[in-house]
């Protein structure tokens, strides 16, 4: 009884001494590292990462030594020894993982993403994040394997499993095919530079930024604060758009369907004034072109550039709004319209040429054409405009298409009107 009491008393005293020693040692080491941290940033990161793993490891080792010193009979404390061994392996794996995370933190701090040209930094950060997750998983798996092999029964089972490793690997590969595919796809994405953290992508018809790349999934932050989670295999098996693959600068288009009486020259001059008033435009390119002119409308396309995708979206909205206001104020005749000219059915039935009984409230395209030329690009002689011969040639291609109304009352009300849809505008500049 006295020997047991002395043993337990010695164990308690040893524990108290060990605990005090651990805190003294950790305090001294912390003071030294903090003194270094005043001149080196990495020392502060080291303290943050390894403070508690080191304290825990020293405490567990001290307690284990105390048990061995207080109870020399190993048969009585064999189970306690096994528990301490498992705890030491776990805490050691924790310390190793934190040490590796400290090294990756140093690497990540070297690459800043809050600068204009951050393509290399984003690629390095993506690769480091994938590597650190992969290494932590490997450390955890190895620690669990070592802990399991401390049991005699599991050690015997492990020997038999290693003897049939070929069959086990095939079965495991078939069972975890999707998991392994995503894991390998995640590693491939990290080192193939297909996508990086903070890249702007278009996936599943959604616009967003790459927020996180793990070993099995990719998180995309959408423009409306939603999160789209996709498996890594999506980006290795399906096409997607990466708007920041080589640079964040982009070119965007703003299109208008306008009337034939629009003046592209004046519109181009106003575009210059609009872009000069905003900081959204980066000054690389500005283009206004008539890309299509068929049917009843003229398609005008404006190309502008910006430093990144969000700025480009705002710039396109700004240019579109300013141009719409300008057209409403200065060129209302350029707004897209559908022209209807009613014809006299009785005159057509009698074989007479239809006569216009009502003057149009708007100037015709033929009378407006010279004004547009003067305000825009100047007088030009073409195949159908500019000379008397061209005017006569144009008349052959611009005959009205009459629509006869059978209702007598409607005929009297809309007497001498004709129907022409989209043809008057075409007379001004071409067929």
């Amino acid at each position: 009884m006295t020997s047991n009491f002395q043993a337990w008393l010695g164990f308690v005293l040893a524990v108290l001494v060990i605990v005090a020693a651990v805190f003294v040692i950790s305090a001294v080491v912390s003071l030294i590292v903090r003194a270094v941290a005043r001149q080196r940033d990495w020392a502060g990161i080291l303290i943050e990462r390894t403070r508690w793993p080191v304290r825990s490891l020293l405490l567990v080792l001290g307690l284990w030594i105390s048990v061995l010193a207080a109870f020399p009979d190993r048969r009585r404390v064999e189970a306690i020894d096994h528990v301490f061994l498992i705890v030491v392996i776990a805490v050691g794996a924790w310390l190793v993982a934190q040490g590796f995370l400290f090294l990756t933190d140093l690497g990540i701090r070297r690459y800043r993403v809050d600068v204009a040209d951050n393509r290399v930094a984003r690629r390095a950060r993506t690769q480091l994040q994938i590597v650190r997750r992969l290494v932590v998983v490997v450390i955890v798996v190895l620690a669990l394997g070592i802990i399991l092999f401390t049991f005699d029964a599991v050690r015997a089972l492990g020997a038999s499993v290693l003897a049939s490793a070929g069959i086990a690997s095939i079965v495991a590969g078939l069972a975890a095919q999707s998991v392994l595919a995503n894991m390998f796809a995640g590693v491939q994405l990290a080192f193939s530079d297909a996508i990086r953290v903070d890249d702007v992508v278009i996936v599943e018809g959604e616009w967003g930024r790459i927020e996180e790349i793990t070993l099995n999934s990719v998180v995309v932050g959408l423009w409306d604060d939603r999160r789209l989670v996709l498996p890594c295999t999506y980006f290795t098996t399906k096409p997607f758009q990466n708007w920041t693959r080589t640079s964040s600068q982009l070119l965007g288009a703003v299109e208008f369907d306008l009337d034939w009486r629009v003046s592209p020259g004046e519109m181009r001059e106003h575009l210059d004034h609009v872009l000069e008033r905003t900081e959204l435009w980066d000054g690389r390119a500005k283009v206004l072109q008539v890309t299509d002119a068929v049917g009843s409308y003229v398609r005008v396309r404006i190309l502008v550039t910006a430093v990144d995708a969000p700025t480009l979206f705002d710039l396109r909205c700004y240019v579109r709004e300013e141009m719409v206001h300008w057209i409403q104020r200065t060129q209302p005749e350029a707004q897209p319209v559908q022209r209807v000219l009613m014809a006299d059915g009785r005159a057509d039935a009698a074989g007479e040429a239809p006569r216009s009984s009502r003057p149009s409230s708007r100037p015709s395209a033929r009378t407006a054409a010279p004004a547009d030329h003067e305000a825009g690009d100047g007088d030009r002689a073409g195949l159908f405009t500019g000379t008397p011969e061209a005017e006569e040639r144009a008349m052959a291609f611009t005959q009205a298409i009459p629509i006869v109304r059978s209702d007598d009352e409607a005929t009297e009300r809309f007497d001498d009107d004709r129907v022409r849809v989209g043809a008057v505008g075409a007379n001004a500049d071409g067929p």
Side-chain angles (χ1 to χ4, degrees):
M1 182 69 180
T2 304
S3 61
N4 290 336
F5 177 76
Q6 291 178 352
W8 281 105
L9 181 61
F11 173 71
V12 172
L13 293 176
V15 168
L16 294 177
V17 171
I18 290 298
V19 171
V22 167
F23 277 99
V24 170
I25 294 174
S26 62
V28 172
V29 174
S30 297
L31 290 175
I32 296 174
V33 177
R34 288 181 185 279
V36 177
R38 296 174 183 174
Q39 299 178 352
R40 298 288 187 273
D41 294 337
W42 60 266
I45 303 175
L46 181 62
I47 294 175
E48 293 288 335
R49 287 292 185 185
T50 61
R51 176 192 303 165
W52 288 108
V54 170
R55 289 178 179 178
S56 301
L57 184 60
L58 291 176
L59 183 60
V60 172
L61 290 176
L63 292 176
W64 195 3
I65 294 173
S66 300
V67 171
L68 294 178
F71 305 99
D73 189 1
R74 297 294 304 277
R75 290 177 298 178
R76 297 176 57 184
V77 294
E78 185 176 356
I80 299 177
D81 285 346
H82 195 192
V83 172
F84 274 111
L85 178 60
I86 293 175
V87 174
V88 168
I89 293 173
V91 176
W94 181 23
L95 179 60
V96 173
Q98 290 295 330
F100 179 78
L101 293 178
F102 161 71
L103 296 177
T104 56
D105 287 341
L106 292 181
I108 290 177
R109 286 171 63 90
R110 293 181 56 187
Y111 299 97
R112 298 178 54 187
V113 296
D114 56 347
V115 295
D117 189 7
N118 58 2
R119 183 174 62 89
V120 177
R122 288 187 285 110
R123 179 180 61 185
R125 280 176 172 254
T126 302
Q127 294 175 354
L128 287 174
Q129 288 180 3
I130 293 296
V131 169
R132 68 190 295 175
R133 290 189 176 95
L134 185 61
V135 171
V136 169
V137 169
V138 171
I139 292 174
V140 172
V141 171
L142 290 177
L144 290 176
I146 295 173
I147 291 173
L148 291 177
F149 269 87
T150 60
F151 297 92
D152 295 335
V154 176
R155 189 182 301 114
L157 179 61
S160 62
V161 169
L162 291 176
S164 58
I167 299 177
S169 62
I170 294 175
V171 174
L174 292 176
Q177 183 178 3
S178 60
V179 177
L180 293 176
N182 276 323
M183 182 177 296
F184 288 122
V187 176
Q188 179 182 349
L189 290 177
F191 291 95
S192 65
D193 205 23
I195 57 173
R196 299 172 296 265
V197 175
D198 207 37
D199 269 347
V200 177
V201 295
I202 303 294
V203 289
E204 297 294 319
E206 300 281 358
W207 180 94
R209 290 181 179 273
I210 301 295
E211 287 189 347
E212 187 180 5
I213 302 177
T214 64
L215 291 177
N216 58 355
S217 63
V218 177
V219 180
V220 182
L222 303 181
W223 65 275
D224 53 357
D225 291 337
R226 291 179 295 148
R227 299 297 181 270
L228 182 64
V229 181
L230 298 170
C232 291
T233 53
Y234 178 91
F235 293 91
T236 58
T237 58
K238 295 184 179 181
F240 62 94
Q241 298 182 35
N242 189 340
W243 286 12
T244 55
R245 177 66 174 79
T246 57
S247 174
S248 61
Q249 297 175 342
L250 291 173
L251 175 72
V254 181
E255 293 186 332
F256 299 91
D257 285 335
L258 303 173
D259 191 81
W260 282 73
R261 289 176 291 181
V262 67
S263 174
E266 295 181 6
M267 198 172 181
R268 190 175 293 112
E269 293 177 1
H270 182 67
L271 175 64
D272 295 338
H273 299 314
V274 170
L275 295 179
E276 289 174 358
R277 294 195 303 265
T278 179
E279 296 180 355
L280 301 175
W281 181 54
D282 61 1
R284 290 189 299 119
K286 57 176 179 179
V287 178
L288 188 148
Q289 294 175 317
V290 179
T291 58
D292 202 358
V294 295
S296 303
Y297 304 111
V298 170
R299 175 158 296 180
V300 178
R301 185 179 67 179
I302 297 175
L303 299 179
V304 289
T305 56
V307 294
D308 53 27
T311 306
L312 178 63
F313 179 81
D314 292 338
L315 177 61
R316 292 170 60 196
C317 295
Y318 173 75
V319 171
R320 186 181 296 111
E321 181 178 348
E322 290 295 324
M323 299 306 293
V324 167
H325 288 170
W326 177 80
I327 291 173
Q328 292 174 348
R329 293 193 314 267
T330 63
Q331 291 194 2
E333 69 277 2
Q335 300 178 24
V337 295
Q338 187 177 32
R339 299 178 180 84
V340 178
L341 186 63
M342 304 302 297
D344 183 6
R346 292 175 299 177
D348 291 341
E352 299 178 359
R355 296 178 297 103
S356 176
S357 61
R358 296 184 182 181
S360 176
S361 60
R362 291 185 179 182
S364 66
R366 189 167 304 281
T367 58
D372 289 343
H373 286 304
E374 293 175 1
D377 300 329
D379 294 335
R380 295 181 182 178
L383 184 63
F384 295 97
T385 59
T387 61
E389 294 81 3
E391 298 292 337
E392 294 179 0
R393 191 182 301 112
M395 291 296 295
F397 289 92
T398 57
Q399 296 298 324
I401 303 175
I403 296 180
V404 180
R405 302 179 64 91
S406 58
D407 191 355
D408 294 335
E409 181 180 355
T411 303
E412 294 177 359
R413 182 177 178 181
F414 299 101
D415 187 23
D416 295 331
D417 287 343
R418 292 175 300 171
V419 174
R420 181 180 302 172
V421 178
V424 176
N427 296 343
D429 295 322

